[in-house]
Amino acid sequence: MLLNSRNILQLQIQPPSAALSSLKSLNTSSGHHVDACVNLIQTIYHPELSRYEHRPQLARDFGPDLGYASNASGNHHATVSVHELRSDAFERSIAINWLTGLVGRGEDWIEAVWEEEEVKRRIEVIEDASTLLAAFAGSASKPTTQSIVFTGSSTRYSEGAQPARPISIVVHLQDAASTFLTEDHTSVGLRTWGASRLFAERLVNHPESFGLDMNYVVVPSPRRPLRILELGAGTGLISLALAKLLPRDTAQIFASDFHPRVLENLKANVRRNFVENRHAAGSGGGGGNTPPVVVSLDWRELHDRRQRQEQCSDVEVLPLAPPFDTPFDWIIGADVVYEPAHALWIRSTVQHLLRHPCTTVTPIKSSISTSSQPSNTFMSSFHLIMPVRPTHDEETSSVPTLFPTRDAALRERGDGGKMDSVLAVCDIEEVKGMAETGRDQDIVRYLLYRIGWV
């Protein structure tokens, strides 16, 4: 029997306080078992989400028996109608607290198993639980929370005698209410956009394509952590994923933005991942990694500063305040050009802040790695990902206009090399991903640039 809107209110079901399994034993609970608990909550409070349209087998398994969790252990509690449960504030709070705890422990739960199908099921369960939490958060007038799971094909070695484990990362985010975004168009950073999700996914799945080898600790010479800056970090997805991906103390990550509300929300998301989820220790949960530092950065201010320097070369300019007084090995920008002037401001910002000239960094072998050679070397660079929007042709074309190709820059310099080094596009790749709507049919083209000194 599959549940529908006509019989859902009359359905007799065990209350969450009786049916939900204890999270203390989560790591020994199967994905099948926990999935049914999530199904219980969804059935009571948000049946409109249709969680099982893409997994019909689970709908057949658990549709008729939603109170199975306690029955399995021999406890038979009285059932209550869904209509009564929806009006019970205590049971509602039990459900929300349970989901919150599940999502917070999701990383450890996923990494506790090795079998591929079970890993996939657990990832789906955590994603569904996150969707439910967002639904509980309420209407468009309230902020929404989500947990995004990334599982990479690469492996990293654990301390001691533990074998290599697949990389798995969960990032917890809060986006602003959609009504606030409508009222203040300058606060676009309060929403998690598709470019950030796609870039973070590629970081986790293919770190070697960015010069990152998880079997090596990448350390410049003299030995120091990598300095990484994200421009227009928004909700912080990329910086948070990167902080959970890299081994502790191997990088200093700075997540920058300018809008006060965006910075406030960004700081809250860092706390959400590295303070509120301390129990999720280790690389994925944030407990054992170095959190990003949230900083304010105005691109236009740096652009104006550079113009003054170029126009008045004999005028002494005071050094930038920390952390911008020291150049960065890596700068990232995801969907940050949404006005024609932004590409110009960003170019000036990168000219100020990217380590110059390009420094080749040889990865240092990790003490827990069994690999013999690094996959490649790390080059200081600016990574920029942009969606190709038909309504924003001017913004899209502004990047190749301001950043020449590497070959064009070399031709301009000539054999004598008299010109100073310039920022140029070293690589460009077209990738495809889902639009912000999340619908499979809404596929967007993205351009992924690697820009460096030439």
Side-chain angles (χ1 to χ4, degrees):
M1 155 180 129
L2 290 177
L3 302 172
N4 57 58
S5 57
R6 288 177 292 183
N7 61 20
I8 188 71
L9 292 178
Q10 285 73 42
L11 182 70
Q12 294 292 312
I13 197 170
Q14 286 187 12
S17 58
L20 298 178
S21 57
S22 172
L23 292 177
K24 292 181 179 179
S25 57
L26 177 63
N27 282 1
T28 60
S29 299
S30 69
H32 210 61
H33 179 92
V34 179
D35 196 57
C37 293
V38 175
N39 185 19
L40 170 80
I41 299 172
Q42 178 266 332
T43 301
I44 297 171
Y45 299 104
H46 291 285
E48 76 283 357
L49 294 181
S50 302
R51 294 179 59 242
Y52 293 109
E53 287 182 357
H54 62 297
R55 284 182 283 158
Q57 180 59 45
L58 287 179
R60 291 194 295 271
D61 288 346
F62 295 121
D65 183 18
L66 299 170
Y68 85 102
S70 293
N71 289 337
S73 57
N75 297 321
H76 299 277
H77 294 269
T79 57
V80 184
S81 72
V82 167
H83 178 73
E84 291 178 273
L85 287 173
R86 287 185 183 176
S87 60
D88 189 323
F90 171 75
E91 292 295 341
R92 182 183 180 88
S93 68
I94 290 289
I96 294 174
N97 290 338
W98 188 88
L99 285 172
T100 302
L102 172 63
V103 170
R105 295 167 171 82
E107 185 94 29
D108 287 344
W109 185 53
I110 293 169
E111 292 192 345
V113 294
W114 298 90
E115 198 271 319
E116 184 177 356
E117 287 304 313
E118 177 67 9
V119 170
K120 289 181 179 178
R121 171 168 287 179
R122 293 190 179 195
I123 290 173
E124 288 180 329
V125 171
I126 296 301
E127 290 174 342
D128 288 342
S130 175
T131 300
L132 269 176
L133 275 177
F136 274 114
S139 66
S141 63
K142 297 180 180 179
T144 59
T145 58
Q146 60 177 321
S147 295
I148 301 175
V149 183
F150 300 107
T151 302
S153 55
S154 300
T155 58
R156 97 173 109 215
Y157 287 83
S158 304
E159 295 286 356
Q162 296 296 319
R165 304 180 66 89
I167 297 172
S168 183
I169 286 171
V170 180
V171 179
H172 312 284
L173 298 174
Q174 175 174 284
D175 286 17
S178 58
T179 52
F180 180 80
L181 295 176
T182 303
E183 295 163 1
D184 185 357
H185 71 280
T186 65
S187 60
V188 292
L190 286 168
R191 176 177 174 180
T192 303
W193 297 92
S196 296
R197 187 187 293 257
L198 181 60
F199 191 91
E201 187 175 79
R202 287 174 67 87
L203 267 176
V204 176
N205 278 297
H206 303 288
E208 70 285 350
S209 68
F210 296 95
L212 299 174
D213 188 333
M214 292 302 96
N215 296 326
Y216 282 74
V217 180
V218 184
V219 180
S221 180
R223 296 178 63 89
R224 59 169 176 79
L226 282 171
R227 287 175 54 82
I228 300 174
L229 172 68
E230 182 180 4
L231 304 178
T235 60
L237 175 59
I238 293 175
S239 290
L240 291 166
L242 194 56
K244 294 187 176 190
L245 178 69
L246 295 175
R248 184 175 181 85
D249 297 330
T250 61
Q252 294 176 320
I253 301 171
F254 297 88
S256 71
D257 216 293
F258 180 65
H259 194 286
R261 284 288 301 272
V262 174
L263 290 168
E264 179 184 341
N265 186 63
L266 182 53
K267 290 177 182 177
N269 280 337
V270 172
R271 291 194 298 270
R272 186 171 283 108
N273 285 270
F274 287 89
V275 177
E276 297 172 9
N277 289 288
R278 287 176 181 171
H279 58 268
S283 58
N289 291 64
T290 307
V293 178
V294 177
V295 291
S296 177
L297 178 62
D298 184 348
W299 310 331
R300 184 170 185 173
E301 181 181 314
L302 286 182
H303 173 67
D304 293 344
R305 177 191 176 97
R306 188 167 186 86
Q307 282 192 315
R308 290 194 299 271
Q309 286 178 311
E310 292 174 348
Q311 294 168 1
C312 307
S313 57
D314 57 336
V315 176
E316 182 180 359
V317 180
L318 294 176
L320 293 169
F324 306 112
D325 57 337
T326 303
F328 293 88
D329 303 295
W330 213 25
I331 299 177
I332 303 166
D335 199 359
V336 289
V337 181
Y338 47 91
E339 288 186 15
H342 287 170
L344 181 60
W345 299 349
I346 289 171
R347 184 182 68 173
S348 295
T349 298
V350 176
Q351 286 172 334
H352 264 296
L353 301 179
L354 184 65
R355 188 168 298 282
H356 177 70
C358 277
T359 304
T360 301
V361 178
T362 303
I364 305 301
K365 185 176 179 181
S366 168
S367 60
I368 56 176
S369 170
T370 61
S371 174
S372 58
Q373 292 292 329
S375 59
N376 47 38
T377 55
F378 186 96
M379 298 287 291
S380 56
S381 54
F382 170 41
H383 294 274
L384 174 67
I385 184 169
M386 292 181 59
V388 180
R389 297 187 177 104
T391 55
H392 290 71
D393 288 340
E394 188 175 358
E395 289 81 353
T396 302
S397 62
S398 64
V399 173
T401 299
L402 291 168
F403 295 94
T405 64
R406 183 177 184 276
D407 289 344
L410 290 174
R411 284 196 302 270
E412 183 71 20
R413 292 184 66 181
D415 295 333
K418 295 179 180 179
M419 287 179 56
D420 292 337
S421 296
V422 297
L423 288 172
V425 176
C426 301
D427 293 303
I428 181 171
E429 179 184 358
E430 182 177 311
V431 293
K432 293 182 179 180
M434 284 195 304
E436 282 77 23
T437 60
R439 296 195 297 264
D440 291 340
Q441 66 268 29
D442 292 340
I443 302 299
V444 173
R445 291 169 53 229
Y446 293 88
L447 297 177
L448 179 57
Y449 295 90
R450 182 174 67 84
I451 296 170
W453 292 108
V454 173

